[in-house]
Each structure stands twice: as structure tokens, then as C-alpha cells.
Amino acid sequence: AQTVTQSQPEMSVQEAETVTLSCTYDTSESDYYLFWYKQPPSRQMILVIRQEAYKQQNATENRFSVNFQKAAKSFSLKISDSQLGDAAMYFCAYRSARNYGGSQGNLIFGKGTKLSVKP
Amino acid sequence: DSGVTQTPKHLITATGQRVTLRCSPRSGDLSVYWYQQSLDQGLQFLIQYYNGEERAKGNILERFSAQQFPDLHSELNLSSLELGDSALYFCASSVLAATTDTQYFGPGTRLTVL
């Protein structure tokens, strides 16, 4: 079974600085997708960024970028120029690329990292 | 706003009761997923429906059931409620059931069992 581990329960960053959130995962599959979701105090789950395992190029979305290391099974999120609105819980998630089997389609989440942004 | 709606936002009930949570997917999305977020278990996948049919099942208790209706809205039924069922229940939707599809989450229903 696949697992996702976020080893940092809490992180803090100064406004305008850069912070990196860590995520490792365990899988025997070669094809899969990885995601970072943000959950602000409103509790809404918001997709931040997505990475396909077959792509070597790291995904980027504005101030958010990832460092995807497939061999190491590592998927970290870098937030540049941190803003107060970035304060939230961040969840790393895994999704199999298999289109068969009982687990198809579902996301497997880590426990989350709570990010605080200091003004 | 993801376009996924969930009602009610909050629900308070007693142990042993039964409740129904409702989800309307984004316009055009055929697939609906249910997730449970609790303090001890984190975010867990419960069940997926695609175009009215059950597609995948996760750690869903036998006391819980779901369905997707012809208009594509979905309901999650929780019965014989226990204190441990208190959680935030999310619905997500995607265009199809393909693993390439991105899931968009609703705002969640906060269930409190007293």
C-alpha cells in the first residue's frame, strides 16, 4: 500500500521569504501523480500544484514550485516570496495512475504541515 | 470557489442517529469522491462514484453508504452514529474517473456527534 509522510508538523516563515515543505512517499508503482493541497482556516481544500511522475521537469505555479526526486521518492514544495495568505495547512497527496483496481482514483494524503507566516 | 457545493455546512446530532450529507459536483463533472478528515485519522478516502455507479471503495464503514443520482448529485448516509464519526466530510468531483483528472473539493460538512 502506498503511504505519504510529511515529517514537519509545523513550519514558520517570515513574510517575503522562501520556505520549503517536505514530503516523502512510498510506492512500488512507476506511474502516479503527486499533489500539494492547501487548507486555509476556512477548511476549503485548494489544489496548489500537481506533478506527473513520468515528467522529469518540476512543476511550477507562480510562487509555488516543487522539487520532485523520483528515485528518492521525495516531493517538496517551495513557496517563494511568502505572503500572509499562504498561512494554512499543506497536504501532500499521492494518486495511482492505474485505471483499475479498488483504489483507483483516490488521493492518499499525508498528515499535513501547518505553515505560519510572520509579518 | 471550486464549484462543488456541499450541504449542510454544519451538522450536530446525537449518537445512534442517522444523517445525510449532500454534494453537488461542478457542472459537467461525472465523478464524485467522498473523504473524511478527522483529527486522529487525517484525510481518508471513503468512496467514489462515476456517472451513478460505485467506482472505488476505501475505508468506508458498513454503517456508511453513498449513492449518486441521475442528476449527478451525491449523498453520503451515515447511520448509527458514534462519537468517533465526528469529522469534516469532503466531497470532491472530477470530469471523468480517469486518474489523470484533477479533483476539486467542496467546502466540507462539519459533523459533530454528541
Side-chain angles (χ1 to χ4, degrees):
Chain A
Q2 296 86 11
T3 58
V4 177
T5 302
Q6 293 178 250
S7 59
Q8 308 152 315
E10 295 188 27
M11 292 281 286
S12 181
V13 64
Q14 204 72 33
E15 195 176 7
E17 297 294 311
T18 296
V19 64
T20 299
L21 308 184
S22 301
C23 173
T24 58
Y25 57 94
D26 188 26
T27 183
S28 59
E29 299 176 333
S30 59
D31 199 11
Y32 47 87
Y33 304 92
L34 296 166
F35 305 83
W36 279 97
Y37 278 88
K38 169 185 176 180
Q39 187 177 41
S42 67
R43 308 301 265 175
Q44 176 82 47
M45 293 290 287
I46 302 166
L47 178 65
V48 175
I49 201 164
R50 160 190 168 131
Q51 174 80 43
E52 289 83 357
Y54 64 84
K55 289 186 178 178
Q56 291 189 338
Q57 186 172 4
N58 289 323
T60 299
E61 287 288 343
N62 301 314
R63 298 182 294 106
F64 299 88
S65 62
V66 298
N67 184 4
F68 173 48
Q69 301 289 330
K70 191 172 184 179
K73 297 180 182 175
S74 170
F75 183 61
S76 61
L77 175 70
K78 185 170 85 170
I79 306 174
S80 304
D81 186 25
S82 297
Q83 300 175 0
L84 295 178
D86 295 333
M89 282 289 287
Y90 286 82
F91 292 94
C92 178
Y94 171 102
R95 185 180 191 182
S96 171
R98 290 185 308 164
N99 273 313
Y100 60 92
S103 64
Q104 65 180 342
N106 63 292
L107 292 163
I108 299 169
F109 288 91
K111 293 292 187 184
T113 295
K114 184 177 181 180
L115 178 66
S116 302
V117 181
K118 298 178 181 177
Chain B
D1 185 357
S2 66
V4 179
T5 60
Q6 289 186 249
T7 56
K9 282 189 177 180
H10 303 279
L11 199 49
I12 301 175
T13 188
T15 54
Q17 295 298 305
R18 173 189 170 94
V19 297
T20 298
L21 313 184
R22 182 188 170 104
C23 167
S24 293
R26 296 185 318 158
S27 177
D29 283 2
L30 299 178
S31 203
V32 169
Y33 310 78
W34 286 97
Y35 291 85
Q36 178 195 59
Q37 184 178 27
S38 62
L39 283 175
D40 52 343
Q41 298 291 331
L43 269 156
Q44 286 195 106
F45 167 71
L46 295 178
I47 198 163
Q48 176 196 3
Y49 276 82
Y50 172 70
N51 205 20
E53 294 189 3
E54 182 183 304
R55 187 70 177 236
K57 219 169 188 176
N59 297 325
I60 188 166
L61 300 172
E62 285 191 10
R63 300 183 287 108
F64 296 1
S65 65
Q67 53 184 326
Q68 187 179 26
F69 294 86
D71 68 351
L72 300 177
H73 91 270
S74 178
E75 293 181 356
L76 179 66
N77 300 297
L78 315 177
S79 62
S80 302
L81 285 167
E82 302 175 358
L83 296 177
D85 298 328
S86 295
L88 188 56
Y89 290 85
F90 284 108
C91 166
S93 74
S94 65
V95 177
L96 299 173
T99 56
T100 53
D101 293 342
T102 294
Q103 295 180 28
Y104 295 92
F105 282 74
T109 293
R110 165 75 69 186
L111 173 66
T112 302
V113 182
L114 301 175

